[in-house]
Amino acid sequence: LQKILIEGCGIRSIARILTISLTTVLKRIRSIACKITKPPIIQNKEYELDEICTYIKKKTRKYWIVYALRKDTKEVIDFTIGNRTNRTLNVVTDTLMLSNASKVYTDKLPNYGWLLPKEIHCTKRHGTNHIERKNLSLRTHLKRLNRRTICYSKSIGILMACLKIYFWG
């Protein structure tokens, strides 16, 4: 189920391929995601931080996936889903602050300047190459994140479960 989900199949196509009901697929996705734990946070590393836009139910209900990537291993450390506000961004930046990050590379979104100390915050030109590449891979592998598609997430819970499986599964 995990491999099929990551290959870009939607929930309905997974149900057709495995010849099981749609609700069974959703239950299995949730149960797999519940068993996955976040990776341990390692101190004094460099991170990249970015957000990617998606929507839930309809295109007027925009949500943002904010996540941090460890620069040396390209492993996702933490992520959250919500509106593009300081509260949503703060969930991930707090994790980075607890890890005693040596440097955090972001794009030039002004909110990061308010949430991260100037000593560790960096917006240099090629600082976010790895996370931008990860954004493209996410859009390629998870059909629900494509920009021009008829696939979408009906709930934040399922989107969160799919991302957990993709990032840490």
Side-chain angles (χ1 to χ4, degrees):
L1 182 72
Q2 288 172 289
K3 290 180 182 178
I4 296 172
L5 184 68
I6 291 172
E7 283 301 315
C9 291
I11 303 297
R12 291 181 195 281
S13 59
I14 292 172
R16 281 192 306 272
I17 291 168
L18 298 177
T19 61
I20 56 178
S21 75
L22 190 66
T23 55
T24 306
V25 172
L26 293 173
K27 284 179 188 175
R28 286 190 185 171
I29 288 173
R30 284 190 185 116
S31 69
I32 291 169
C34 286
K35 294 175 187 170
I36 297 172
T37 58
K38 278 175 34 172
I41 300 170
I42 298 172
Q43 300 288 315
N44 301 319
K45 295 291 181 182
E46 291 184 351
Y47 298 98
E48 296 180 26
L49 182 63
D50 199 18
E51 66 284 336
I52 185 171
C53 184
T54 186
Y55 58 93
I56 309 279
K57 289 192 180 175
K58 54 185 175 179
K59 290 199 176 189
T60 57
R61 295 184 62 195
K62 280 191 176 180
Y63 283 86
W64 295 84
I65 301 166
V66 181
Y67 66 104
L69 192 74
R70 212 169 107 188
K71 202 156 178 70
D72 56 352
T73 62
K74 291 147 190 79
E75 179 183 29
V76 174
I77 299 304
D78 195 14
F79 75 93
T80 188
I81 301 171
N83 296 325
R84 197 177 194 185
T85 60
N86 285 351
R87 181 182 293 177
T88 305
L89 297 172
N90 212 13
V91 172
V92 180
T93 56
D94 284 350
T95 303
L96 297 180
M97 297 310 297
L98 288 173
S99 74
N100 199 16
S102 61
K103 193 66 88 174
V104 179
Y105 296 92
T106 66
D107 52 11
K108 295 186 194 278
L109 183 69
N111 299 39
Y112 293 130
W114 302 324
L115 298 172
L116 295 167
K118 291 187 190 299
E119 306 85 51
I120 65 168
H121 184 228
C122 185
T123 59
K124 75 177 199 176
R125 185 168 179 214
H126 296 290
T128 58
N129 282 355
H130 301 299
I131 200 161
E132 294 296 343
R133 175 68 241 176
K134 187 82 163 179
N135 286 349
L136 290 172
S137 297
L138 263 171
R139 289 198 187 279
T140 303
H141 292 290
L142 291 180
K143 200 171 188 180
R144 62 188 66 233
L145 297 180
N146 285 344
R147 285 195 176 107
R148 295 178 187 206
T149 182
I150 57 173
C151 299
Y152 60 91
S153 295
K154 288 186 178 180
S155 71
I156 292 178
I158 291 295
L159 179 60
M160 187 80 85
C162 291
L163 288 171
K164 223 175 184 185
I165 290 169
Y166 183 79
F167 288 144
W168 302 320

